[in-house]
Amino acid sequence: VQLVESGGGLVQAGGSLRLSCAASGFTSDDYAIGWFRQAPGKEREGVSCMFMSDAFPYYANSVKGRFTLSSSDNAENTVYLQMNSLEPDDTAVYYCAASWSWAVVAGVCVASDYNYWGQGTQVTVSS
């Protein structure tokens, strides 16, 4: 399984960015995928994740109403994280992660359940 991320960058507070993650190697939609982030000195946290079989996203409280996780209508096994109303506290390295559904047992967006990780992309929000 490979995950290829794109997007990220520098944006002013209140702005928007879109991250994309293309997964390859899954032979069915029986897997979970999502985004995690890690800011300097902080633990990695689950931002938004979903099982591809039901596409019902989970959102961390800190991003509810601002971020949207969706799967692509055109590109198979590709998900997008649309981030609106960005705040300086959203500054972090964002990682795409995925795992077979059977391995996701602690919760849909718990990092320790995810076996495959992208390289990470920096998101910086200036005030």
Side-chain angles (χ1 to χ4, degrees):
V1 173
Q2 288 189 322
L3 303 174
V4 178
E5 304 157 342
S6 61
L10 173 64
V11 66
Q12 288 188 330
S16 299
L17 285 173
R18 189 177 81 160
L19 306 180
S20 65
C21 177
S24 60
F26 288 105
T27 55
S28 73
D29 65 354
D30 194 18
Y31 66 96
I33 191 167
W35 290 91
F36 296 78
R37 68 185 180 186
Q38 189 164 20
K42 294 187 178 180
E43 292 187 357
R44 189 169 297 190
E45 66 167 333
V47 175
S48 183
C49 306
M50 66 181 179
F51 290 102
M52 287 297 278
S53 58
D54 61 29
F56 187 79
Y58 157 91
Y59 296 101
N61 287 333
S62 58
V63 306
K64 278 181 182 176
R66 301 187 297 122
F67 290 12
T68 303
L69 181 65
S70 62
S71 57
S72 173
D73 292 333
N74 301 315
E76 193 173 359
N77 294 338
T78 297
V79 296
Y80 303 108
L81 183 67
Q82 179 66 41
M83 305 185 293
N84 297 330
S85 302
L86 283 161
E87 305 167 353
D89 283 348
D90 295 317
T91 296
V93 178
Y94 283 69
Y95 298 90
C96 179
S99 191
W100 291 106
S101 295
W102 55 263
V104 181
V105 295
V108 69
C109 218
V110 177
S112 59
D113 283 349
Y114 283 73
N115 298 317
Y116 307 105
W117 292 83
Q119 77 279 7
T121 185
Q122 177 70 44
V123 171
T124 302
V125 184
S126 63
S127 57

